């Protein structure tokens, strides 16, 4: 079994790498419809429509015009998330996402941060870098 260190991670909007990323998360989910009937001893269900969402955090870099600055609320961006880097053969997640939230954090004794939240618009693909 192979493991990877978080330092290998990369996030791209289209072909543009987002600068200063410190972490990202992606969540896949699926709706379910309850099919339980009277007299059942346990709940049953049918899977419905899948979806995905996520967020990324980075140190704020106002000069990153094709990455961080492209992530404005309402923007629709091709989002590529590489947990193990971008080398040939690396697995990654890709899909179109709508930016649903952007926040900036400032602390008197820390580095300014930016958090970007997104919601998948269509399927999330599991791909391999070539």
């Amino acid at each position: 079994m192979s493991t990877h260190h978080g330092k290998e991670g990369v996030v791209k909007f289209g072909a543009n790498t987002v600068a200063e990323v410190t972490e990202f998360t992606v969540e896949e989910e699926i709706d379910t419809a309850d099919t339980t009937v009277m007299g059942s001893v346990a709940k049953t269900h049918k899977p419905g429509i899948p979806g995905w969402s996520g967020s990324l955090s980075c140190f704020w870099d106002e000069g990153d015009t094709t990455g961080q600055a492209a992530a404005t609320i309402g923007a629709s961006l091709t989002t590529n998330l590489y947990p193990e880097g971008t080398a040939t053969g690396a697995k990654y997640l890709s899909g179109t996402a709508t930016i649903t939230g952007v926040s900036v954090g400032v602390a008197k004794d820390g580095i300014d941060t930016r958090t970007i939240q997104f919601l998948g618009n269509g399927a999330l693909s599991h791909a391999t870098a070539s």
Side-chain angles (χ1 to χ4, degrees):
M1 174 181 237
S2 173
T3 60
H4 296 276
H5 194 281
K7 69 181 181 182
E8 298 173 43
V10 175
V11 176
K12 293 184 178 189
F13 291 140
N16 303 310
T17 300
V18 179
E20 306 288 340
V21 174
T22 58
E23 67 179 307
F24 66 85
T25 61
V26 179
E27 180 177 321
E28 294 181 84
E29 64 274 335
I30 192 164
D31 295 335
T32 58
D34 189 344
T35 58
T36 310
V37 296
M38 289 183 184
S40 297
V41 295
K43 286 187 171 189
T44 59
H45 67 273
K46 294 254 184 217
I49 300 171
W52 60 282
S53 62
S55 66
L56 67 97
S57 296
C58 43
F59 293 130
W60 185 42
D61 182 350
E62 69 278 6
D64 181 18
T65 59
T66 60
Q68 291 186 31
T72 58
I73 57 172
S76 179
L77 301 172
T78 299
T79 304
N80 300 303
L81 305 151
Y82 299 83
E84 55 189 71
T86 59
T88 300
K91 305 295 185 198
Y92 71 101
L93 306 167
S94 181
T96 301
T98 302
I99 305 303
T100 58
V102 178
S103 62
V104 174
V106 179
K108 70 172 180 59
D109 58 353
I111 305 296
D112 295 349
T113 61
R114 178 173 275 179
T115 302
I116 299 165
Q117 298 162 337
F118 48 88
L119 179 63
N121 189 7
L124 180 66
S125 67
H126 295 249
T128 302
S130 54

